[in-house]
């Protein structure tokens, strides 16, 4: 099966998962063109100046997949299959049915290249030519230390995201901001912890709270464990205490539950949310780089509005690898480089022929 055939089969199977965004064969082939310079470089030698070159993907990729959202795991698997690799998918102990569902939508030749296990079989590390690891920093460090010198290693550790509203006097993007928070119940690395807002940030927080209430009515948050619910309650209580003591703090929250929370803070800094649809709103600082300096190693995505190049420049140096319009934070394009490096090109081996 050649690359073009794989792209068509993968795109058809991906239609079962709208959260992957638009995933057509043309988009996947364009991704190869973008990163490898040719959509057929994996199939045969192609002319490159005075030489001929061909790319070879890994024979086997071990994917260590975290349980926060299925999107990252599916995207990693699709990239592996697009390269023609055999894919060993270690999923959380609770399982990840989306991967099995995706495999079921593939023709037998491609489905045979996908193995899924909630445990890590003893031979998988030895079989893998490449390791792609998603998880907390300790998980990434654990597998990096176990990787052989000849194994390619790509780690995706703990990441956080934020939004920056430079101007939105008519609140036209507030509903989109609520969508960014609530998709995957704020469990993804692309989920914003905080929105920095120019102008009246407190009024923006109140409008965002109304949208969060509407989202909860039509798309209730999923169940959470006792520990997560207690974290939300504890942070709410702390914020209420600060507000009672005269600090520039306000809280809007679901009544009788921990379903959603919007907290306004007038003080500088990057607050870390307990997640589960709990988002902060703060005044937009004059210097976004300085404001986010202490979390720079963990920053991943910045949603901005208006989505102009000028506004993007204000956040580009914070450490993020993606800047997009608010409302589109959870649907990255296939051409995005999650780790700041090409997702496909970093996995292939090139052969150059001089004739």
């Amino acid at each position: 099966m050649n690359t073009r055939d794989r792209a068509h089969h993968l795109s058809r199977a991906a239609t079962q998962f709208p959260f992957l965004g638009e995933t057509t064969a043309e988009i996947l082939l364009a991704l190869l063109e973008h990163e490898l310079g040719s959509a057929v470089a994996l199939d045969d030698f192609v002319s490159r100046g005075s030489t001929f070159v061909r790319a070879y993907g890994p024979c086997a990729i071990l994917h260590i997949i975290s349980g926060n959202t299925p999107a990252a795991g599916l995207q990693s698997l699709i990239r592996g299959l697009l390269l023609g690799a055999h894919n060993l998918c270690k999923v959380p102990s609770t399982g990840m049915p989306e991967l099995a569902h995706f495999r079921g939508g593939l023709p037998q030749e491609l489905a045979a290249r996908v193995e899924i296990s909630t445990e890590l079989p003893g031979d998988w590390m030895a079989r893998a030519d490449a390791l792609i690891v998603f998880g907390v920093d300790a998980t990434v460090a654990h597998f990096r230390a176990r990787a052989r010198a000849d194994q390619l290693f790509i780690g995706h550790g703990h990441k956080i995201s934020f939004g920056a509203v430079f101007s939105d006097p008519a609140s036209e993007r507030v509903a989109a901001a609520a969508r960014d928070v609530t998709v995957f119940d704020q469990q993804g690395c692309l989920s914003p912890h905080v929105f920095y807002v120019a102008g009246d940030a407190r009024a923006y927080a109140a409008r965002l709270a109304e949208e969060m209430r509407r989202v909860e009515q039509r798309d209730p948050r999923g169940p959470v464990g006792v520990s997560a619910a207690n974290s939300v309650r504890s942070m709410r209580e702390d914020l209420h205490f600060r507000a009672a003591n005269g600090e520039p703090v306000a809280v809007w929250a679901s009544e009788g539950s921990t379903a959603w929370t919007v907290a306004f803070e007038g003080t500088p800094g990057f607050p870390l949310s307990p997640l589960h649809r709990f988002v902060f709103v703060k005044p937009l600082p004059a210097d976004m780089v300085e404001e986010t300096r202490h979390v720079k190693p963990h920053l991943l995505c910045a949603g901005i509005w208006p989505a102009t190049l000028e506004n993007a420049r204000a956040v580009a140096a914070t450490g993020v690898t993606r800047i997009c319009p608010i409302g589109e934070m959870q649907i990255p394009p296939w051409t995005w480089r999650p780790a700041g490096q090409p997702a496909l090109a970093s996995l292939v081996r090139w052969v150059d022929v001089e004739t």
Side-chain angles (χ1 to χ4, degrees), residues 325-349:
I326 285 176
E328 299 179 18
M329 294 180 69
Q330 303 285 5
I331 311 177
W334 282 96
T335 50
W336 172 45
R337 304 170 178 88
Q341 301 295 327
L344 295 181
S346 57
L347 286 168
V348 304
R349 173 179 60 89

Side-chain angles (χ1 to χ4, degrees), residues 19-40:
F19 58 75
L20 291 174
E22 189 176 10
T23 309
T24 65
E26 291 71 24
I27 286 174
L28 295 178
L29 293 170
L31 172 62
L32 291 164
E33 289 273 2
H34 180 73
E35 293 205 11
L36 306 185
S38 170
V40 296

Side-chain angles (χ1 to χ4, degrees), residues 187-307:
Q187 294 300 291
C189 293
L190 296 171
S191 302
H193 284 240
V194 55
F195 287 104
Y196 294 100
V197 180
D200 192 341
R202 192 183 189 284
Y204 187 93
R207 291 191 290 269
L208 179 58
E210 287 300 317
E211 290 297 335
M212 295 286 285
R213 180 179 290 109
R214 293 189 184 99
V215 173
E216 176 63 19
Q217 290 171 350
R218 65 176 181 267
D219 182 21
R221 188 197 64 184
V224 299
V226 173
S227 177
N230 286 340
S231 294
V232 171
R233 293 189 186 98
S234 176
M235 185 158 286
R236 283 181 180 179
E237 289 170 3
D238 178 66
L239 290 164
H240 282 301
F241 178 80
R242 291 170 56 194
N245 279 274
E247 291 191 44
V249 172
V251 180
W252 297 261
S254 54
E255 297 181 5
S257 76
T258 60
W260 62 268
T261 310
V262 176
F264 165 76
E265 278 189 332
T267 53
F270 191 112
L272 294 178
S273 164
L275 306 178
H276 306 287
R277 301 190 178 184
F278 189 128
V279 67
F280 286 88
V281 175
K282 299 175 76 72
L284 183 73
D287 187 342
M288 281 299 309
V289 174
E290 184 61 33
E291 185 85 356
T292 60
R293 186 176 299 280
H294 71 288
V295 292
K296 180 178 181 179
H298 298 291
L299 290 178
L300 185 64
C301 177
I304 62 172
W305 192 258

